[in-house]
Amino acid sequence: MSSPHPDPARPAGAGSGRRILALHLPLLAVDRQILIAQAAGDADAARHWRHGPAACHAPGPRGPMITIPNPAARAAGVRTGMTLAEARARTAGDILLAPADPRGDRRALAWLADLADRFSPAVGLDGDQGLLLDITGVAHLFRGEAGLIARAGTLIRGRGFSLTAAIAPTPLAASALARARAHVQAHVQAYPPADATVVVAHDRAGPDETRAALARLVGPLPPEMISLDGERLRRVAEGLARLGIRRVDALDALPRSSVAERFGPGLLDLLDRLYDRAPDPLHPRRPSAPVEVRISWAEPIGRAEDIAAATAALVDDLVADLGAAGLGARRLALSVHLVDGRLQRAELGLALASREPRHMMRLLAERLDRIDPGLGIEVMVLAAPVVQPLADLDRSLPGLGQAPLSAGTGSAAVAALIDRIDARLGNGRVRAVRIEAGVMPETAIRLIPAAIAPQRVVRIDDGPHRVTAPRPARLLARPEPALVVAALPDDPPARLRWRGRLHRVHLADGPERLTGPWWESPGAPAEARDYYRVETEDGLRLWVFRSRGSAGLVLDGDGAADDAAAADDWFVHGIFA
């Protein structure tokens, strides 16, 4: 049930035992045009893209040029790099053309990579037309490599894409074999490709057998097939062809010093990676979770009871792996892969690192009723993408069965409550205060999701700017302007009008000078504020400030305001309890 987590960066070498599955989509752009035409209800265009001459084009040095022809256009002599005029001449003007959409192709490939996550925890992109999957140790979950390839082919071809596949000990070898298979089928006009899988030995073969099978399959390949950099390899292949070298095995038989001197050491590096003599890492498109477990079924499940039981089994396996590594999960990610290719995800944050199965299951249960199994679920994956070291749990002490020994009973209970509310209402609904290195009150604190807040009590006097005077219980979202009357320019307010009401000040304390960061306004004076705590005759206690440069309002001899010119220089910023 729990699958070993392959290390995509593990060095390769003879006998490394790695199994890499390459899925090559030779007609990705053409297949997308068929799907676009079908979505638009244009059956004639879809039929022409499938059976008639058609191609995608992009700007080139001689004007628009063909980037990828479909099999019918290739049969008529249309080739990549041809101008549109040449393509029309080869097809008597019957060719259907569409602008290439590399961005849309990349989005489609990324979508297919998400679907392929059900087969491997390490899925990488193979250029712009393929995927690489590290299937080391996971094939048994799909009844062997043949079952895995069959399900991957059904999934991708069922989405409308043609496919060739290969399994080899290294990513480069698997990619080269899959692309070579597509190249061969392009010349026999198979659409979509059939019987398109190349397997180097089998997953139980020994190192010598695997090495011999690899050499037998990659040896006949043309040299330009061993890299995605087709233009550079094409020039190298042309130079090799002038020497009569048209196969990889013939190239590998040449003296290494001569090859390096004439074609550079990069070609030797490619050969070593191809033959599994040098490290050839697979680079996943997203970082692999530190701990991940999965379960798959030959027959899909769909009942709520089965989904809950499978989730409980995944939680037990995840907790076991976390315990073995001395880790606790701060985030959980449950991925549900459906038979029809859809993917449903649920992510949860934990306020305290945990590997308590009851707590995890209680949180996940809040999300299980939102899963729509549709036609059935074939793979479920539970991962802990964010972890941290966690001490052993002491279950003998009452109340500490769900918390590390370093956490008190109270903090563990609060963390569990935060997790449950977040699971029910949605991630990030419970907020915590984080002290920032800011001087001005509105920048000194920030609300962040409680699940990612530091695991300690936050005090208002934390940080480099410790306050020296009381702060209001309620800080307004933004300072609100007030009309203030003061006896002298530097005196506290005597009267203030705020929110349409006039308040007479009974008591006042201040000022407290706060100066903003000078680096935010280079060449200009930093913002400065004089804060006062005032209490009005009706008992309202306010936190007000005067911005720098305000002269206040000066009373004339009759006690009336002389001028209201500086009214907007005073603001109310908070309310004391």
Side-chain angles (χ1 to χ4, degrees), residues 157-494:
R157 292 191 183 101
R159 308 275 84 74
F161 295 95
S162 55
L163 176 71
T164 59
I167 295 179
T170 72
L172 182 59
S175 173
L177 290 170
R179 286 183 285 113
R181 182 65 179 173
H183 178 74
V184 170
Q185 291 183 338
H187 290 81
V188 298
Q189 314 308 324
Y191 190 92
D195 189 22
T197 301
V198 180
V199 179
V200 176
H202 54 82
D203 54 348
R204 297 184 182 87
D208 294 339
E209 183 181 353
T210 301
R211 188 184 303 112
L214 179 63
R216 186 171 59 254
L217 287 172
V218 302
L221 297 180
E224 60 267 24
M225 281 292 167
I226 64 176
S227 173
L228 293 176
D229 187 359
E231 181 60 28
R232 181 171 66 88
L233 261 294
R234 185 185 61 79
R235 293 196 296 268
V236 172
E238 290 174 353
L240 292 171
R242 288 193 290 269
L243 299 176
I245 305 297
R246 292 181 173 83
R247 291 166 53 113
V248 167
D249 51 5
L251 172 61
D252 192 51
L254 294 177
R256 293 175 66 88
S257 58
S258 300
V259 174
E261 181 179 355
R262 182 154 188 172
F263 300 105
L267 186 57
L268 292 177
D269 178 64
L270 287 175
L271 286 173
D272 289 340
R273 289 166 51 200
L274 182 71
Y275 280 98
D276 201 12
R277 298 187 298 241
D280 188 20
L282 186 152
H283 302 285
R285 58 187 294 263
R286 62 166 62 96
S288 301
V291 183
E292 179 180 288
V293 293
R294 60 179 58 217
I295 184 173
S296 64
W297 298 271
E299 294 296 331
I301 65 170
R303 295 194 311 153
E305 298 84 353
D306 295 336
I307 297 173
T311 305
L314 288 173
V315 167
D316 289 340
D317 289 343
L318 185 74
V319 167
D321 290 351
L322 288 171
L327 300 173
R330 285 297 305 272
R331 182 166 290 276
L332 297 174
L334 178 65
S335 301
V336 179
H337 299 269
L338 308 183
V339 173
D340 59 6
R342 289 186 295 133
L343 171 63
Q344 298 184 28
R345 282 197 176 101
E347 291 199 12
L348 298 167
L350 281 76
L352 284 178
S354 174
R355 56 173 181 264
E356 170 58 41
R358 288 176 300 174
H359 181 53
M360 291 183 179
M361 189 61 203
R362 189 171 188 174
L363 298 179
L364 290 169
E366 298 283 355
R367 300 296 182 88
L368 293 183
D369 58 352
R370 306 179 192 178
I371 294 177
D372 177 13
L375 298 177
I377 299 171
E378 62 177 0
V379 179
M380 291 179 67
V381 182
L382 181 61
V386 180
V387 297
Q388 68 183 51
L390 182 64
D392 289 335
L393 304 185
D394 185 353
R395 301 178 185 276
S396 63
L397 298 179
L400 293 184
Q402 298 182 7
L405 294 177
S406 59
T409 309
S411 60
V414 171
L417 177 62
I418 291 172
D419 294 342
R420 290 171 58 189
I421 295 175
D422 257 357
R424 182 165 299 181
L425 300 182
N427 291 338
R429 295 299 182 92
V430 181
R431 302 296 184 94
V433 174
R434 185 167 77 182
I435 304 299
E436 302 283 354
V439 178
M440 295 307 183
E442 61 268 26
T443 62
I445 61 173
R446 188 160 68 93
L447 294 178
I448 60 173
I452 64 172
Q455 297 185 17
R456 63 185 180 90
V457 177
V458 178
R459 296 176 56 87
I460 196 65
D461 57 358
D462 284 347
H465 306 292
R466 293 174 173 82
V467 299
T468 58
R471 290 291 183 259
R474 177 189 173 194
L475 189 70
L476 300 181
R478 59 179 58 85
E480 298 181 5
L483 177 64
V484 169
V485 176
L488 293 173
D490 292 331
D491 278 4

Side-chain angles (χ1 to χ4, degrees), residues 477-504:
R478 59 179 58 85
E480 298 181 5
L483 177 64
V484 169
V485 176
L488 293 173
D490 292 331
D491 278 4
R495 294 199 303 266
L496 63 89
R497 182 177 294 276
W498 173 55
R499 293 183 175 177
R501 291 185 57 190
L502 179 63
H503 302 273
R504 293 183 180 273

Side-chain angles (χ1 to χ4, degrees), residues 51-54 69-79 90-91 186-190:
H51 301 294
N70 72 346
R74 183 175 289 276
V78 178
R79 296 292 182 268
R90 294 291 181 96
T91 59
H187 290 81
V188 298
Q189 314 308 324

